[in-house]
Amino acid sequence: MRKSIKKIASLVLASAMALSLTACGGGSDNAATTAAATQAPAETTAGEPAAAEGLTVNTADPITITMSWWGGDGRHEATMKAVEAFMAKYPNIKVEMQYAAWTGWEDKMSASFATSTAPDVNQINWNWITSFSSDGSAFYDLNKVSDILDLTQFSEDKLNACTVAGELQGVPVAMTGRIFYWNKSTFAKAGLETPKSLADLMAAGPIFQEKLGDEYYPLAMNEYDRTILMIFYLESKYGKAWVENNALQYTQEEIVDGLNFITSLEEAHVIPTIKSLANDGAESLDKNPKWMDGRYAGIFEWDSSASKFEGALNDGEEFVVGEEFTDMGDSKGGFAKVSMCWAISENTEHPAECAALINFLMNEEEGVKILASERGIPASAAGLKICQDNGLLNEKVAEANGKVLAHVEFPLDPKFEAAALKNSDGIYYDVMAGVSYGDYDAEEAAEILIEGVEDVLNK
């Protein structure tokens, strides 16, 4: 049984974590594209980009640079192979690699950025730019190495989204957003097509329960997934961004409506309760046996996550890309974001060589072919063309990415993924689990969510 978290404890936690972000640099793991991609931190518009410094890559003296990233086995294998190819091209440069799964990774990196001990080259979440480097102190200005790292391959709006006070803090790897993926085989067992609308999804819940049994659900979502879907619903219905100009745009009454919408999915047997998911004992949905064997027949995930979830399914289960629902309201709710970036630590001793490594991974044919769409559909024009010309894009990721970027119309605030909100002990998890367990009613949960979000926005 989950221990109930009282409202006052939640607010104290949110405040403490937000203060920790400020003190230690903590932070958080896609016509519509432009609106989302250009939503950058408020500080990004100040200052003029620095000119390239005329650095050159050392191809003679022995050099060692360090590199970090997180991900699954497929990403690890592809990245290691690409780095090995880079070292073959530059025999004098040794790259020491650090990588792991996401769990615990953000805390590790937060500490390293706070103490200036981070690796030279880092895969970072987009919001880490504001969480760790709102003053530009954590990451090297990539404009200074533009003679080596070809920035002309990236659209101006995407680069602006990664810029603070004229300093380019990271180069965007891909754009991503949330979409439904379905196990078509399970829906077929229930005599149904995969949902094309919210109405279809709501109707599927009772049918799953009746025809397949109590353990079968059309969709499964954890606390963070529920928060994002609630915001998609609210933005679709009310036609305004969740946060804009560093201010929450929704009233308590409107958020109560959103929370009641999530509760209605549980009540209609569309999604399992948080308690049910906890009792499954899985670290994540892709590792949950009920996803693997089709008892959970849908997810609401980042478009770039297709291969991870498809690969987890048992043989014979058919995995398909869903649709963005258009019957939640008159607007096209939802957002896309820069999924992740490559960044160079400010304190690196080898900026030119680090830039060469990033350019190899993102713009050069040999590196691009190895990585393909492992980190999503490439934001680099050169990288995208190489993948397209060689048939290297994951078809499902490409399909999902196209649907997401054609649909969503609202910006994502960079503080949306702040640790005090997004982490497993943060406000999103407390609110959604509290409602599911019955610890909070919708009114109390909405108040906790509002105060938690505003506390982070005001830090």
Side-chain angles (χ1 to χ4, degrees):
M1 174 66 75
R2 172 182 178 268
K3 182 180 179 181
S4 175
I5 305 175
K6 297 303 182 184
K7 172 183 170 183
I8 186 66
S10 299
L11 297 179
V12 170
L13 173 65
S15 178
M17 294 188 73
L19 286 171
S20 175
L21 283 171
T22 303
C24 300
S28 170
D29 152 272
N30 244 341
T33 308
T34 300
T38 56
Q39 178 63 16
E43 300 90 341
T44 60
T45 57
E48 293 295 330
E53 294 189 332
L55 300 176
T56 58
V57 179
N58 188 327
T59 59
D61 301 324
I63 290 172
T64 297
I65 59 177
T66 52
M67 175 186 184
S68 76
W69 73 87
W70 74 88
D73 290 342
R75 181 179 296 175
H76 297 334
E77 292 170 6
T79 307
M80 286 188 287
K81 185 177 179 181
V83 171
E84 288 167 1
F86 171 80
M87 290 190 289
K89 179 178 179 179
Y90 297 97
N92 65 306
I93 302 176
K94 178 182 179 182
V95 182
E96 295 180 348
M97 294 171 272
Q98 304 172 21
Y99 55 90
W102 170 254
T103 303
W105 186 256
E106 186 174 16
D107 291 338
K108 170 185 170 69
M109 295 307 297
S110 175
S112 67
F113 288 125
T115 57
S116 298
T117 58
D120 296 296
V121 176
N122 301 278
Q123 175 186 299
I124 66 169
N125 264 338
W126 173 60
N127 70 298
W128 289 10
I129 292 172
T130 49
S131 295
F132 299 150
S133 194
S134 61
D135 60 354
S137 63
F139 304 123
Y140 190 87
D141 183 4
L142 299 181
N143 291 308
K144 296 178 179 180
V145 287
S146 59
D147 288 343
I148 301 167
L149 172 55
D150 185 2
L151 300 178
T152 66
Q153 300 301 325
F154 303 89
S155 64
E156 183 178 356
D157 58 332
K158 292 183 178 67
L159 294 179
N160 286 342
C162 302
T163 298
V164 172
E167 295 191 8
L168 182 60
Q169 298 286 279
V171 64
V173 174
M175 294 294 297
T176 189
R178 288 271 177 150
I179 195 168
F180 295 100
Y181 288 106
W182 307 113
N183 184 328
K184 186 176 180 179
S185 302
T186 302
F187 278 90
K189 291 175 185 176
L192 298 170
E193 298 290 332
T194 56
K196 304 297 189 293
S197 66
L198 177 60
D200 290 346
L201 179 62
M202 295 298 290
I207 296 173
F208 266 57
Q209 187 174 27
E210 177 185 352
K211 292 191 174 182
L212 302 178
D214 289 342
E215 289 194 334
Y216 282 79
Y217 290 87
L219 182 65
M221 295 191 298
N222 66 26
E223 294 90 337
Y224 186 51
D225 303 333
R226 293 173 185 225
T227 303
I228 296 177
L229 183 60
M230 181 190 77
I231 291 170
F232 272 45
Y233 167 81
L234 290 173
E235 290 180 339
S236 298
K237 182 173 181 177
Y238 295 100
K240 55 187 177 181
W242 175 246
V243 169
E244 197 162 33
N245 298 322
N246 209 47
L248 181 64
Q249 301 297 302
Y250 283 81
T251 65
Q252 183 172 352
E253 181 180 5
E254 290 167 340
I255 294 174
V256 166
D257 179 22
L259 291 167
N260 286 336
F261 162 66
I262 297 298
T263 298
S264 74
L265 299 179
E266 284 190 354
E267 293 174 344
H269 199 80
V270 171
I271 60 175
T273 64
I274 295 298
K275 181 180 179 180
S276 295
L277 288 170
N279 288 340
D280 292 341
E283 179 182 348
S284 56
L285 278 175
D286 62 300
K287 297 178 181 178
N288 193 312
K290 292 181 180 178
W291 166 256
M292 296 175 182
D293 65 16
R295 282 175 285 175
Y296 295 159
I299 52 172
F300 184 61
E301 259 295 343
W302 301 113
D303 55 51
S304 55
S305 296
S307 58
K308 176 173 70 174
F309 281 91
E310 183 174 24
L313 289 174
N314 294 344
D315 292 342
E317 305 293 333
E318 185 177 359
F319 182 80
V320 298
V321 180
E323 307 292 335
E324 298 283 18
F325 292 164
T326 60
D327 61 339
M328 292 195 291
D330 294 333
S331 296
K332 293 181 177 180
F335 48 76
K337 66 166 186 169
V338 174
S339 62
M340 62 182 68
C341 307
W342 286 115
I344 298 174
S345 292
E346 177 66 35
N347 62 328
T348 184
E349 296 180 358
H350 305 290
E353 292 72 29
C354 292
L357 173 57
I358 295 174
N359 194 71
F360 182 83
L361 299 177
M362 300 194 73
N363 295 326
E364 296 183 25
E365 185 169 2
E366 186 176 8
V368 169
K369 281 184 175 181
I370 295 170
L371 290 176
S373 56
E374 185 57 49
R375 285 177 170 82
I377 305 303
S380 160
L384 179 61
K385 186 175 189 304
I386 291 167
C387 288
Q388 290 173 330
D389 290 348
N390 292 276
L392 297 175
L393 296 180
N394 180 299
E395 292 183 4
K396 289 187 173 66
V397 173
E399 178 186 356
N401 185 259
K403 288 180 176 179
V404 168
L405 298 184
H407 176 84
V408 299
E409 61 176 303
F410 291 98
L412 174 67
D413 181 77
K415 293 182 180 179
F416 180 80
E417 296 180 318
L421 300 173
K422 180 187 175 183
N423 280 7
S424 59
D425 55 359
I427 293 296
Y428 299 150
Y429 278 75
D430 178 37
V431 166
M432 288 299 175
V435 170
S436 183
Y437 275 93
D439 295 338
Y440 308 135
D441 60 29
E443 288 75 16
E444 186 177 19
E447 183 179 351
I448 294 170
L449 182 57
I450 289 170
E451 294 192 39
V453 169
E454 290 182 342
D455 185 65
V456 168
L457 293 175
N458 292 328
K459 297 298 182 184

